[in-house]
Amino acid sequence: MEVHVKRNQTAREEQQENRARMLISCPDGPGIVATVSRFLFEHGANIVQSDQYTMNPAGGMFFMRVEFDLPELSKNLPALESDFQAVGDQFKMEWTINQVSRKKRLAIFVSKEDHCLVELLWHWQAGDLDADIAMVISNHNDMRSYVESFGIPFYHIPVTADTKKEAEQKQLEVIGSDIDLIVLARYMQIISPLFIEHFRNRIINIHHSFLPAFVGGKPYAQAYDRGVKIIGATAHYVTEELDGGPIIEQDVQRVSHSDNVNELKRIGRTIERVVLARAVQWHAEDRVLVHQNKTVVFN
């Protein structure tokens, strides 16, 4: 079984060696898809997947995600990016090109509840999460031994109301300059605007409620008091507005009048795990584009 997994991983790594992903956001207009496709063809690239979406063909925003193979990608990518700048300027694009073989590095923040962290570690260990978990940071020591059993560095940085600024500074020092995404896996602290600015649209939070309903604390108690028939969870990017950032993924499950608050929490934990794992995977695979306070997710 282990040999089979390693062979699959090796084959996938070889396939990804010359593969890249292009993300594009720009005002809609004629010729965008044709121009991008021709550009890649003329530069020797082969498109293996392409998705696009327009908010409104008559003056709305256009979004595109393209996966392509390019021989000797590492060598040829700088020239391709330089040449593509003219296309980007022509259509007023915001664009990025990412090498698939360069996996995104994740820092996971967690407090005491472990279910979302455990789910991500399972996906990572199985090779299903196309990213590298570089570290776990927590304001409690509860998860240290479990995290370190995976060979992942664990950093305990306590946070109090009086030390929040100093704690965030320590977190930034630990993270350094090579972390691509921060995942708040039930990290029960509010992130400051200064910290958010360092990682704009690169902090994903799981909110234990189907936003925009039941924002803030104790959402399951709020849901129980309202007698809801479905509960859910929401993964979103973190912004200065509490629980108000662009939504990446949501899911729900039906409940009944016989479910008490503890039952709602139990059911909700399962939803939270699945929703957060999906959102992190989609970000890692460059499937999410942010426009204002919304996302376009090519999944």
Side-chain angles (χ1 to χ4, degrees), residues 28-285:
D28 201 359
I32 298 173
V33 175
T35 301
V36 172
S37 299
R38 176 163 292 279
F39 173 88
L40 291 173
F41 167 73
E42 290 175 347
H43 283 72
N46 179 42
I47 294 174
V48 295
Q49 184 177 3
S50 180
D51 298 283
Q52 55 268 342
Y53 168 72
T54 179
M55 299 181 73
N56 184 346
M61 287 295 293
F62 176 84
F63 307 91
M64 189 173 185
R65 178 185 184 272
V66 183
E67 282 198 21
F68 61 90
D69 289 336
L70 180 66
E72 298 185 86
L73 178 66
S74 296
K75 175 184 175 182
N76 293 320
L77 185 57
L80 184 140
E81 290 178 313
S82 178
D83 292 348
F84 191 75
Q85 187 61 54
V87 177
D89 293 343
Q90 177 186 352
F91 291 99
K92 299 179 181 178
M93 293 177 175
E94 292 183 10
W95 59 275
T96 59
I97 301 177
N98 299 312
Q99 290 182 257
V100 172
S101 61
R102 195 274 182 188
K103 296 182 184 295
K104 290 180 172 54
R105 290 172 52 81
L106 276 53
I108 301 177
F109 283 37
V110 66
S111 290
K112 288 188 174 182
E113 295 197 51
D114 62 0
H115 54 286
C116 288
L117 170 63
V118 168
E119 185 78 9
L120 292 170
L121 290 173
W122 284 347
H123 281 265
W124 174 78
Q125 187 180 49
D128 296 331
L129 178 59
D130 193 24
D132 290 329
I133 299 178
M135 65 187 69
V136 173
I137 297 175
S138 179
N139 53 334
H140 299 281
N141 249 322
D142 300 52
M143 296 302 297
R144 176 184 292 278
S145 60
Y146 184 75
V147 170
E148 290 180 344
S149 72
F150 288 84
I152 296 172
F154 180 93
Y155 298 92
H156 175 222
I157 302 178
V159 183
T160 68
D162 295 331
T163 64
K164 188 174 183 63
K165 184 176 180 180
E166 292 80 3
E168 285 197 345
Q169 185 58 44
K170 289 180 181 177
Q171 291 167 352
L172 289 171
E173 290 172 2
V174 168
I175 290 169
S177 59
D178 64 344
I179 291 297
D180 300 291
L181 178 69
I182 293 174
V183 183
L184 307 184
R186 294 306 305 274
Y187 180 66
M188 307 308 290
Q189 296 288 327
I190 295 175
I191 308 300
S192 74
L194 181 62
F195 193 100
I196 293 170
E197 193 56 41
H198 280 87
F199 295 93
R200 179 70 58 184
N201 294 329
R202 292 191 293 142
I203 307 175
I204 295 179
N205 181 49
I206 183 66
H207 183 74
H208 41 305
S209 174
F210 190 75
L211 293 172
F214 308 131
V215 300
K218 298 183 177 179
Y220 292 115
Q222 296 180 55
Y224 177 76
D225 290 341
R226 288 293 303 275
V228 301
K229 304 308 179 191
I230 59 171
I231 60 171
T234 303
H236 64 90
Y237 289 115
V238 175
T239 63
E240 290 80 359
E241 180 184 356
L242 180 63
D243 299 329
I247 293 171
I248 305 168
E249 171 64 344
Q250 296 178 293
D251 207 348
V252 295
Q253 183 168 326
R254 183 165 294 278
V255 295
S256 78
H257 60 274
S258 65
D259 294 317
N260 58 30
V261 173
N262 289 332
E263 279 295 301
L264 297 185
K265 289 181 179 179
R266 182 187 63 78
I267 297 168
R269 281 194 292 268
T270 299
I271 309 172
E272 292 165 27
R273 290 162 57 166
V274 172
V275 168
L276 180 60
R278 285 180 193 153
V280 172
Q281 181 68 16
W282 293 341
H283 181 101
E285 294 178 352

